[in-house]
Amino acid sequence: RKVVGRVVAAQRVDTGFEQGGKIDRVLVDQGEAVVVGQQLATLDKRLLEVDGKQLEAQLRETRARLGLVLSSLKRQQLLKKQGFSAEQQIDELASQKQALLAGIERLRAGLDANRLQLEKTVLVAPYDGVISKRFEDEGAVVGAGEPVLQLLEAGQLEVVFGVPVDMANGLEQGKPYPVTVGKDTFQASLIAIGSDLNAITRTVTLRFALPDEARLRDGELALLMLTREVQESGYWLPVSALADGVRGLWNSYLLEPLADKQYRVLAVNVGVLHVEADRVYVSAEFDGKQVIATGLHRVVPGQIVSSTPGEEG
């Protein structure tokens, strides 16, 4: 049996920025090969740079205020030893010191977040691959997570098929099966058999790994050749030996021998077990009678026919 599937990349991602903003540059285009870590696009980072400068200025200001508080606290502690300072003044300065230290930690965290946001303005390739689609251009304003480029993993190709449950049950994971793409046939290893049934097609998904020498493209059609043994007795007949029966059944016409090389046409129901391009495998009881192979439109059941010399009826 032949099953149609599709060649797909092992990994496919619609990649975008983790934060929103205006795209400053798109450094790659559709069809270009990229390597892991390569810059793909950048966002306008001027607002983030201004925010970073503000945070640095606030940090310097807070450190200056902390220096003043530390000097005042040291002076008050010296005066206390001499009996000229109140305990409340020392407590207030100590409290200001702790508040300023906390403010410095908050500003440092803000600077770290700002640096991380600046890093996130550069979109990099998560793995080696090929740019298959470009969704946005320079100057476009995008939201967080909105796709900018689609990246397909390089080299790693798979083929995905949907097959009926009865066919999937007889397959072995890890075993090679013949897969044809165009004029080339490859031995593809079965990676996984789906555990669920597609609600629309009522099929189970099969994933096959193609060999490294397969030079194919994402989206190409593929054919999976599967064989199944059916232990059923029957007959091979040409497709032309089948006639429409009642209630969707199939008939074949037999020749019942009479006298003087004459025959009566009989109709017998047949069950179609397997269909190929020009022949079918059927189950039926022919009882040794000859089957009319072609020209069924020229005879009807019950009709008497005869054979001419040199011909079989």
Side-chain angles (χ1 to χ4, degrees):
R1 299 184 65 176
K2 297 180 181 179
V3 183
V4 179
R6 188 166 58 90
V7 178
V8 298
Q11 292 192 76
R12 174 200 305 262
V13 62
D14 290 343
T15 183
F17 296 98
E18 296 182 25
Q19 58 191 5
K22 185 173 75 172
I23 297 178
D24 183 37
R25 291 186 301 163
V26 179
L27 305 172
V28 293
D29 207 344
Q30 184 173 340
E32 290 188 33
V34 297
V35 296
V36 59
Q38 179 178 336
Q39 293 188 8
L40 306 179
T42 60
L43 287 177
D44 187 344
K45 56 184 179 181
R46 288 176 294 179
L47 287 177
L48 290 173
E49 291 173 341
V50 171
D51 290 341
K53 291 178 180 179
Q54 289 178 343
L55 290 171
E56 289 174 352
Q58 292 175 16
L59 182 59
R60 289 194 297 268
E61 178 187 359
T62 305
R63 284 173 174 168
R65 292 170 57 193
L66 177 62
L68 178 61
V69 168
L70 290 176
S71 299
S72 299
L73 183 60
K74 185 176 180 181
R75 186 164 49 252
Q76 289 298 324
Q77 288 172 343
L78 182 61
L79 291 173
K80 180 182 178 182
K81 291 179 181 180
Q82 298 174 358
F84 298 109
S85 177
E87 190 72 28
Q88 182 178 354
Q89 290 179 316
I90 294 177
D91 291 343
E92 289 176 354
L93 290 171
S95 177
Q96 292 178 26
K97 170 187 172 183
Q98 294 303 320
L100 291 171
L101 287 173
I104 289 174
E105 290 300 318
R106 177 175 55 81
L107 291 170
R108 284 175 176 170
L111 282 171
D112 289 340
N114 179 260
R115 294 189 189 100
L116 183 58
Q117 287 179 314
L118 285 171
E119 292 177 7
K120 298 298 183 181
T121 61
V122 179
L123 184 63
V124 299
Y127 46 75
D128 295 349
V130 177
I131 303 299
S132 62
K133 291 181 182 178
R134 175 172 168 171
F135 301 110
E136 301 291 349
D137 294 319
E138 297 174 0
V141 177
V142 295
E146 186 175 340
V148 176
L149 300 164
Q150 184 179 87
L151 178 64
L152 304 179
E153 185 177 9
Q156 299 297 320
L157 291 176
E158 298 179 358
V159 189
V160 178
F161 298 94
V163 301
V165 177
D166 60 337
M167 292 179 63
N169 291 337
L171 302 179
E172 299 180 22
Q173 192 167 329
K175 182 178 178 181
Y177 292 88
V179 172
T180 301
V181 183
K183 297 181 180 180
D184 300 320
T185 300
F186 307 95
Q187 291 298 317
S189 176
L190 179 58
I191 302 174
I193 302 175
S195 58
D196 58 339
L197 195 66
N198 187 296
I200 299 175
T201 62
R202 312 302 296 173
T203 58
V204 176
T205 300
L206 305 179
R207 290 176 50 228
F208 290 84
L210 288 167
D212 295 337
E213 63 269 17
R215 296 291 181 262
L216 304 175
R217 291 180 174 83
D218 181 84
E220 288 192 70
L221 293 181
L223 285 178
L224 172 64
M225 307 292 293
L226 294 176
T227 58
R228 185 180 60 167
E229 292 186 3
V230 179
Q231 300 297 331
E232 294 283 352
S233 60
Y235 302 89
W236 282 107
L237 296 178
V239 174
S240 58
L242 294 181
D244 293 333
V246 296
R247 299 178 182 176
L249 299 178
W250 292 101
N251 287 341
S252 286
Y253 291 172
L254 308 183
L255 294 177
E256 180 184 21
L258 300 176
D260 300 329
K261 295 184 179 183
Q262 290 187 327
Y263 302 87
R264 178 183 289 111
V265 178
L266 300 179
V268 60
N269 291 332
V270 298
V272 177
L273 301 177
H274 179 71
V275 179
E276 292 187 358
D278 56 356
R279 63 176 186 165
V280 293
Y281 192 70
V282 301
S283 62
E285 293 295 335
F286 292 158
D287 298 326
K289 297 181 176 64
Q290 298 182 78
V291 179
I292 300 177
T294 60
L296 271 61
H297 62 287
R298 301 176 61 183
V299 296
V300 294
Q303 181 179 350
I304 304 300
V305 297
S306 61
S307 62
T308 58
E311 294 183 354
E312 293 184 356

